[in-house]
């Protein structure tokens, strides 16, 4: 990638979270801001996480604070260190760093256990022998209160002994849990004696076999925040109802630090699914090539597709941070990518569907070098030379045997300009005698028109791109379309979201022709293929000198909405 600088914040009003931070600094409530990004290492990160990363790391950076990288690794049955590594790579690729501040919730298992003993001693936690099913049915609903567990009034001694027994592996999985003793009549279901520890006889990717009880997310999260001295704990709106529990844990345990949880609206994007669980289903069912399939909006997928990190940061800055759920159209993301690449991508010529043109009056065996600009608006990006010869490839769709009037490209006896080259006029067509397919066209060129204009002042309307046949580098190009056919594949819960997959989301073109300057392309380098879009050399399938290109994005917005089915 060419650019990993963080975007400079634009002079626009602060979002409500940055406003709270600014107020807290001004009032002296805090002198140093500490935020955290707390992924669970149970899958790869997606574009939704990028919003949270840009907010947490961004707000800390802007205020000279710190953002901790914390793995929320409390569920060993779904977590792996491979996910930890991919998450680190993704955050760094987005342009952020955590310095020394790399943490794992599992680092706090001893402290969390000690806090649990403290809760028991305060009469604020008890061991419950109800089954998961019974706990659920006792919990009540939004309109009905819960039912107190028959184990709720166990003595402190009994609770301490049983909890230690749980820790020592004396009981089977699911037979007992530790619950906070709060209020079964609370209007907030999260406060109805939530489970805070469960037995799981599963090895953990960091603590190995040391533990067979694991703390639950809500209990772990607030305490990890407090242990690390987080000032602002930023999370998505679905945690709003969990905030009373967050505060209850910290108040009850009288932690010296009490971070403030603030919720913001998650990113929802059309034509995609964004839950790790659903992405995992697509990976495991081989609906896509893997977590980093360029059609997916995982960070590793968009990196491979060629989206620049700077475009993602710009996108996150543009959509802003709010309190109301909303949907962002995929075209907004694509426009951010297009703008960024338009600024930075060198222009080159590549023919995706080649048709051979023989220039009858150009001497056989002759070559010449034409000069081409690397970026029309940026002369500082320099020029390069492109070889021209008697045989060239043009785009098959740039020739029509029977063109309509408004078709300004090639047709019989029509003249067109070759980008950076000459005018050519079509004089005849070679067809396959059996199939009738056009296999080549013959043209003549006007030697007076080198550079693109005719001394006699005659005009041509069309300019087409081309590649010299003997100099062309053949390669594979992958074109991507939306992965789903509906705006919200998740909307109808009675239909599996995978039913909405677009069977034509990937087109592989095996015989594309590149101008020779692209022979040296390195994986990850990107270009504008003139008239065809922005393309990036695939990070996995490209070899130095043998690129495979992904179309990152088209030149114009092609996300015309399809009718909702
Ligand atoms: P998923 O539902 O995709 O598995 P998650 O919330 O379970 O996501 P975590 O690893 O727990 O994934 O998320 C880490 C952080 O990223 C959390 O603070 C979470 O709120 C935030 N986050 C996840 N998805 C989004 C999203 N779509 N928009 C903004 N922030 C998000
Ligand atoms: Mg989560």
């Amino acid at each position: 990638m060419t650019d990993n600088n963080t975007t400079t914040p634009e002079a626009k009003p602060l979002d409500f979270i940055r406003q709270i931070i600014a107020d807290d600094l001004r009032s002296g409530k805090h002198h140093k801001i500490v935020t955290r990004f707390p992924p669970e290492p149970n899958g790869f990160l997606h574009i939704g996480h990028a919003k949270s990363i840009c907010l947490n790391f961004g707000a800390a950076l802007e205020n000279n604070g710190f953002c901790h990288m914390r793995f929320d690794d409390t569920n060993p049955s779904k977590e792996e260190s491979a996910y930890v590594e991919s998450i680190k790579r993704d955050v760094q690729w987005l342009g952020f760093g955590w310095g020394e501040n790399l943490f794992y919730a599992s680092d706090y298992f001893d402290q969390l256990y000690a806090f649990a003993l403290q809760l028991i001693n305060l009469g604020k936690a008890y061991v419950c022998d109800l089954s998961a099913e019974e706990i659920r049915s006792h919990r009540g609903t939004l309109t009905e209160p819960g039912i107190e567990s028959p184990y709720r009034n166990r003595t402190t001694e009994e609770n301490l002994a049983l909890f230690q027994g749980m820790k020592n592996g004396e009981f089977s999985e699911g037979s007992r849990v530790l619950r906070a003793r709060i209020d079964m009549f609370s209007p907030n279901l999260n406060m109805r004696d939530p489970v805070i520890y469960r037995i799981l006889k599963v090895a953990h990717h960091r603590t190995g076999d040391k533990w067979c009880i694991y703390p639950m997310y809500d209990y772990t999260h607030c305490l990890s925040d407090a242990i690390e001295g987080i000032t602002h704990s930023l999370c998505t709106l679905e945690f709003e109802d969990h905030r009373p529990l967050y505060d209850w844990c910290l108040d009850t345990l009288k932690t010296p630090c009490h971070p403030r949880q603030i919720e913001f609206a998650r990113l929802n994007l059309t034509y995609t699914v964004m839950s790790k669980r659903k992405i995992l289903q697509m990976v495991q069912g081989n609906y896509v090539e893997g977590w980093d399939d360029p059609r997916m909006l995982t960070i590793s997928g968009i990196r491979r597709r060629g989206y620049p990190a700077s475009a993602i940061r710009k996108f996150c800055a543009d959509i802003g941070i709010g309190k109301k759920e909303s949907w962002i159209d995929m075209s907004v993301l694509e426009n951010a990518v297009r703008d960024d690449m338009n600024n930075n991508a060198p222009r080159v010529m590549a023919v995706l569907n080649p048709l051979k043109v023989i220039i009858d009056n150009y001497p056989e065996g002759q070559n010449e070098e034409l000069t081409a600009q690397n970026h029309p608006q940026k002369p500082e990006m320099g020029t390069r030379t492109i070889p021209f010869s008697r045989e060239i490839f043009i785009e098959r769709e740039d020739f029509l045997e029977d063109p309509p009037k408004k078709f300004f490209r090639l047709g019989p006896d029509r003249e067109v300009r070759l980008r950076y080259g000459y005018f050519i006029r079509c004089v005849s067509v070679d067809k396959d005698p059996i199939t009738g397919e056009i296999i080549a066209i013959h043209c003549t060129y006007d030697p007076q028109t080198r550079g693109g204009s005719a001394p006699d002042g005659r005009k041509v309307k069309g300019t087409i791109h081309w590649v010299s046949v003997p100099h062309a580098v053949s390669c594979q190009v992958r074109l991507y379309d939306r992965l789903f056919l509906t705006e919200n594949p998740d909307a109808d819960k009675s239909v599996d979201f995978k039913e909405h997959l677009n069977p034509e989301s990937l087109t592989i073109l095996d015989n594309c022709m590149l101008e020779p300057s692209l022979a040296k392309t390195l994986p990850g380098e990107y270009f504008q293929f003139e008239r065809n879009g922005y393309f990036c050399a695939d990070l996995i399938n490209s070899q130095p000198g043998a690129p495979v290109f992904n179309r990152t994005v088209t030149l114009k917005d092609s996300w015309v909405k399809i009718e909702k089915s």
Side-chain angles (χ1 to χ4, degrees), residues 36-53 55-56 70 72 87 217 221 234-239 264-269 273-279 321:
R36 84 288 169 265
F37 175 62
E40 184 182 352
N42 62 349
F44 281 50
L45 298 182
H46 51 64
I47 183 88
H49 294 112
K51 176 174 180 176
S52 174
I53 292 167
L55 172 62
N56 280 294
R70 184 198 316 139
D72 212 327
I87 291 171
Y217 176 84
H221 196 75
L234 314 178
C235 61
T236 35
L237 283 179
E238 66 272 22
F239 290 102
F264 63 95
R266 65 195 292 112
L267 169 64
N268 296 306
L269 260 186
V273 296
M274 241 189 305
S275 118
K276 280 182 280 186
R277 194 174 52 79
K278 299 213 168 78
I279 299 174
I321 300 291

Side-chain angles (χ1 to χ4, degrees), residues 316-504:
C316 290
D318 286 350
I319 58 174
I321 300 291
K323 264 243 171 245
K324 230 177 94 221
E325 280 297 342
S326 67
W327 281 81
I328 303 289
D329 201 80
M330 185 66 105
S331 60
V332 177
L333 174 60
E334 290 206 332
N335 279 329
V337 172
R338 197 175 281 124
D339 285 351
D340 189 294
M341 295 182 98
N342 180 33
N343 251 322
N344 300 314
R347 274 53 174 167
V348 294
M349 293 202 286
V351 174
L352 301 185
N353 289 301
L355 171 65
K356 192 191 271 188
V357 174
I358 301 148
I359 302 168
D360 291 335
N361 61 339
Y362 194 88
E364 245 170 279
Q366 181 174 313
N367 291 319
E368 63 189 290
E369 298 280 333
L370 304 172
T371 303
Q373 287 177 304
N374 291 334
H375 195 300
Q377 286 88 43
K378 291 188 161 179
E380 67 276 16
M381 285 176 73
T383 59
R384 68 193 186 287
T385 56
I386 310 175
F388 182 74
S389 67
R390 188 170 192 266
E391 295 194 351
I392 60 173
F393 291 117
I394 64 167
E395 215 65 69
R396 197 162 268 277
E397 64 178 35
D398 282 339
F399 175 79
L400 281 183
E401 218 181 351
D402 189 14
K405 218 163 178 273
K406 293 263 178 203
F407 184 81
F408 298 124
R409 294 170 267 167
L410 263 186
D413 202 33
R414 291 202 182 184
E415 195 170 41
V416 75
R417 179 189 293 108
L418 294 177
R419 180 79 160 141
Y420 299 116
Y422 299 94
F423 289 8
I424 55 170
R425 179 181 298 278
C426 172
V427 291
S428 65
V429 178
D430 287 347
K431 291 186 180 174
D432 183 300
I434 298 160
T435 63
E437 191 202 354
I438 297 172
I439 44 183
I441 61 173
H442 290 262
C443 291
T444 55
Y445 84 116
D446 177 353
Q448 305 279 310
T449 55
R450 184 175 161 148
S453 56
D456 64 5
R458 81 180 182 281
K459 300 278 183 238
V460 290
K461 284 225 163 109
T463 302
I464 63 173
H465 61 278
W466 53 277
V467 170
S468 162
V469 172
H471 305 93
V473 176
S474 148
C475 90
Q476 187 186 85
V477 167
R478 298 166 170 221
L479 306 179
Y480 302 103
D481 196 356
R482 63 194 82 185
L483 188 50
F484 290 94
L485 289 168
T486 48
E487 274 197 331
N488 180 1
D490 251 349
D492 182 353
K493 299 291 174 208
S494 66
V495 181
D496 187 307
F497 71 98
K498 297 192 289 303
E499 299 282 315
H500 299 295
L501 280 164
N502 175 6
E504 282 159 24

Side-chain angles (χ1 to χ4, degrees), residues 193-363:
D193 292 9
V195 173
I196 58 175
Y197 262 94
R198 65 213 192 284
I199 302 171
L200 271 182
K201 302 205 167 168
V202 179
H204 185 281
H205 71 108
R206 287 180 59 85
T207 58
D209 291 326
K210 179 173 175 196
W211 296 91
C212 63
I213 53 171
Y214 291 96
M216 300 298 286
Y217 176 84
D218 279 336
Y219 173 75
T220 309
H221 196 75
C222 52
L223 289 167
S224 305
D225 281 351
I227 291 167
E228 290 177 20
I230 301 298
T231 54
H232 299 83
S233 179
L234 314 178
C235 61
T236 35
L237 283 179
E238 66 272 22
F239 290 102
E240 194 164 9
D241 287 348
H242 298 239
R243 188 173 358 117
L245 178 54
Y246 186 104
D247 290 333
W248 180 90
C249 287
L250 301 187
D251 288 340
T252 309
L253 288 163
K254 299 196 170 55
T255 50
C257 162
H258 191 137
R260 173 165 175 197
Q261 175 178 310
I262 308 170
E263 307 86 17
F264 63 95
R266 65 195 292 112
L267 169 64
N268 296 306
L269 260 186
T270 55
Y271 296 103
T272 191
V273 296
M274 241 189 305
S275 118
K276 280 182 280 186
R277 194 174 52 79
K278 299 213 168 78
I279 299 174
L280 181 64
Q281 279 182 46
M282 291 200 281
V283 173
Q284 287 182 336
N286 294 317
Y287 295 93
V288 290
E289 272 183 34
W291 284 99
D292 61 354
D293 188 300
R295 287 167 294 181
M296 288 212 291
L297 290 177
T298 51
I299 308 274
S300 49
I302 61 186
R303 173 169 61 229
R304 206 177 142 190
R305 171 102 168 224
Y307 287 14
S310 47
I312 304 302
R313 292 193 299 267
K314 176 73 167 42
F315 167 75
C316 290
D318 286 350
I319 58 174
I321 300 291
K323 264 243 171 245
K324 230 177 94 221
E325 280 297 342
S326 67
W327 281 81
I328 303 289
D329 201 80
M330 185 66 105
S331 60
V332 177
L333 174 60
E334 290 206 332
N335 279 329
V337 172
R338 197 175 281 124
D339 285 351
D340 189 294
M341 295 182 98
N342 180 33
N343 251 322
N344 300 314
R347 274 53 174 167
V348 294
M349 293 202 286
V351 174
L352 301 185
N353 289 301
L355 171 65
K356 192 191 271 188
V357 174
I358 301 148
I359 302 168
D360 291 335
N361 61 339
Y362 194 88

Side-chain angles (χ1 to χ4, degrees), residues 138-198:
H138 283 202
R139 206 162 164 228
T141 63
L142 284 174
T143 49
E144 278 173 46
I147 300 165
E148 291 191 345
S149 162
Y151 305 98
R152 199 171 197 265
N153 295 318
R154 277 178 160 152
T155 63
T156 302
E157 290 65 36
E158 196 182 357
N159 280 319
L160 287 173
L162 286 171
F163 189 49
Q164 255 149 37
M166 282 170 61
K167 175 180 183 251
N168 295 337
E170 289 162 24
F171 310 120
S172 61
E173 252 181 50
S175 62
R176 292 197 154 102
V177 292
L178 185 71
R179 296 175 72 175
R181 194 170 185 276
I182 310 179
D183 180 5
M184 289 309 288
F185 306 107
S186 169
N188 184 334
L189 293 166
N190 294 305
M191 300 298 273
R192 295 185 187 169
D193 292 9
V195 173
I196 58 175
Y197 262 94
R198 65 213 192 284

